[in-house]
Amino acid sequence: MKALALFSGGLDSLLAMKLITQQGIAVKALNINIGFGSRSDKSEEMRRRAALVGAEFEMVDVRNSYLKEVLFNPQYGYGKHFNPCIDCHAFMFKTALAMLKDEGASFIITGEVLGQRPMSQRSDAMAKVKRLAADEEDLILRPMCAKNLPETKPEREGWVDRAKLEGISGRSRKRQLEMAAAFGIEDFESPGGGCLLTLESFAKKIKDFKEFDSNMEVNDAQLLKYGRHLRLPKGAKMIIGRNELENELLRTLKTSKYEEIKLFDLIGAYSLVSSDICEEDLNLALQIALTYTKNDPQNSYKLGFKEKEFETKAFEDKAKLGEFFIS
C-alpha cells in the first residue's frame, strides 16, 4: 500500500506522514510548486525532512498551469489579499489524485487540521475542496483530524487504522508539539507565512502587474519576488535589486518584457525596466538607477540601455522616490 502526501515542509504534514508510515504504508511526499511558496529553493530541506518520517520526496512544478487555471479566476474567490486558498488546495489535490495511478498509490494524505486556518480548513471549505478536486472516491485522508471528519475510503476499506489517527481541531499546537517530541521530530518549517499570496506587499505587486499586463508568465511571477518594484509616471515598470543575490536572480529571470540598465564601470544595484519604455520614463529610470550606485551626486555619468549611451545625474530628491514604489 502506498499514499501520496501533500507536503509543505511544516510540522503538521510531517506528523501526518508519520502516522501513515508507522502503519506500514509507503508514503511519497509531494511539494506542489505553484510558484508562490517561497523566495528560495527549499527542496533539499524538504527532502531531508521527509526522510525523517520515512517518506520519499518529489517537487512537482505546476507553476504554469496554476497561473492559467487558478490564480486569476478562482471559483471561491480570495482571502484577505491575493490568496485563492480553497481553489489552490483543490488544485493541489487534483494534481496529486491525477498522479495516483502512475505512482502506484491508492490515496492522498495531508497535514490539514480542522479549524486551524480560517479560509481553507473549515469543514465547509474542505467540502468545497473535495468537489473542486473531483475526489469522488473519497481518497483524501487528513490523518491529523480524521476522527473529526466522516470516514474516507482508506479507513472504510481498512487500508488505514482509523483508531491510530488523530482528532485535533482548532489553532492550538499543543498536541502537535507533544507528537513531535514523541516521534523525535525537531526539524520542521515554522507555521504560517509560507505563501507569498497572503502578504499585502506581494498582493500589491500582482494587482499592479495585472493592471498593465494581462499575460503573466512563470518568470513574470518569479520576478515579483525580488527587488524594489516601481511604476514610473508614464506606465513603465522598473525593478531594482536590493543585494548581490537579488541582482543575480534578476539577471537570471529577465524576460523579453524587460531590458537592463547598464552601469558600465559603476558599482551598484542591477536594474530592469520595461522594454517598451518611453523616453520620459527612461530618463527618470536612468536617474533612479544611478541613485542606487556609488557615485558623486555632483557629477554626470554614462549609463547604457539597448546599445545606446545616455549621460545623466542621480535623482536629486530621494524622498520623492517613494511615489513610484509599488510596495
Side-chain angles (χ1 to χ4, degrees):
M1 184 66 62
K2 180 178 179 180
L4 299 181
L6 297 189
F7 180 47
S8 65
L11 180 58
D12 290 341
S13 47
L14 281 171
L15 293 172
M17 291 192 291
K18 184 65 176 179
L19 289 172
I20 300 304
T21 58
Q22 70 176 2
Q23 293 196 35
I25 298 169
V27 173
K28 185 169 190 177
L30 305 177
N31 181 251
I32 310 295
N33 180 15
I34 63 171
F36 300 103
S38 173
R39 287 185 170 90
S40 58
D41 182 0
K42 297 186 177 181
S43 56
E44 287 311 308
E45 288 179 32
M46 291 188 177
R47 189 182 305 279
R48 183 184 69 245
R49 289 170 181 157
L52 291 174
V53 294
E56 297 179 74
F57 174 81
E58 180 181 346
M59 184 169 281
V60 183
D61 188 346
V62 295
R63 293 176 297 174
N64 189 55
S65 52
Y66 185 80
L67 288 175
K68 290 183 175 4
E69 299 173 28
V70 181
L71 185 60
F72 299 108
N73 190 32
Q75 184 172 330
Y76 290 103
Y78 299 100
K80 187 176 180 181
H81 296 299
F82 217 90
N83 46 313
C85 295
I86 293 175
D87 292 73
C88 184
H89 281 218
F91 178 76
M92 291 182 179
F93 280 124
K94 197 170 184 177
T95 299
L97 287 166
M99 295 174 65
L100 285 175
K101 184 176 180 181
D102 288 344
E103 290 290 338
S106 300
F107 62 100
I108 307 295
I109 65 170
T110 171
E112 291 172 292
V113 170
L114 187 65
Q116 189 177 82
R117 295 187 186 276
M119 185 172 182
S120 61
Q121 293 181 17
R122 308 184 314 269
S123 56
D124 61 317
M126 289 179 177
K128 292 173 182 175
V129 167
K130 177 180 171 62
R131 287 195 297 273
L132 274 183
D135 178 30
E136 297 169 358
E137 293 187 66
D138 255 356
L139 297 178
I140 297 173
L141 172 66
R142 296 174 172 88
M144 297 296 285
C145 59
K147 290 178 179 177
N148 298 323
L149 300 170
E151 286 190 347
T152 58
K153 184 175 181 178
E155 296 162 283
R156 292 194 300 269
E157 296 291 327
W159 304 342
V160 172
D161 185 349
R162 181 178 172 90
K164 295 178 180 179
L165 303 179
E166 292 288 320
I168 303 172
S169 64
R171 305 191 71 172
S172 170
R173 296 180 61 78
K174 181 180 177 182
R175 176 56 182 155
Q176 287 95 316
L177 294 173
E178 290 174 350
M179 292 172 67
F183 291 138
I185 299 173
E186 298 178 350
D187 181 16
F188 50 87
E189 190 86 3
S190 299
C195 180
L196 295 172
L197 297 172
T198 64
L199 303 179
E200 181 181 8
S201 58
F202 196 81
K204 285 180 179 177
K205 293 177 187 176
I206 295 181
K207 290 173 183 176
D208 171 83
F209 183 98
K210 290 302 292 179
E211 184 179 342
F212 291 86
D213 190 336
S214 61
N215 181 32
M216 181 177 285
E217 298 174 352
V218 168
N219 269 15
D220 294 325
Q222 298 308 294
L223 279 168
L224 295 178
K225 296 180 180 181
Y226 309 109
R228 307 169 181 88
H229 287 243
L230 298 80
R231 184 65 65 180
L232 303 182
K234 298 300 180 182
K237 177 77 171 286
M238 185 173 188
I239 308 173
I240 307 169
R242 291 189 178 95
N243 51 48
E244 289 263 352
L245 176 59
E246 287 198 342
N247 289 343
E248 191 54 41
L249 287 166
L250 292 175
R251 285 189 186 94
T252 303
L253 291 168
K254 186 185 76 170
T255 72
S256 60
K257 294 179 181 180
Y258 299 94
E259 290 285 344
E260 67 179 282
I261 292 177
K262 296 181 177 65
L263 301 179
F264 298 128
D265 295 330
L266 287 167
I267 297 172
Y270 182 80
S271 296
L272 294 172
V273 292
S274 302
S275 298
D276 59 356
I277 189 170
C278 69
E279 184 178 352
E280 183 177 335
D281 275 355
L282 177 59
N283 289 334
L284 176 58
L286 292 167
Q287 293 176 49
I288 294 172
L290 186 55
T291 303
Y292 287 95
T293 67
K294 294 181 179 179
N295 68 83
D296 182 344
Q298 303 303 314
N299 293 339
S300 296
Y301 295 87
K302 286 186 178 180
L303 299 181
F305 180 75
K306 287 188 176 181
E307 310 306 325
K308 293 182 180 179
E309 292 185 6
F310 302 84
E311 191 162 320
T312 189
K313 284 188 174 183
F315 193 78
E316 291 183 0
D317 188 358
K318 290 187 178 181
K320 195 176 179 182
L321 279 176
E323 296 178 11
F324 310 124
F325 280 92
I326 297 166
S327 67

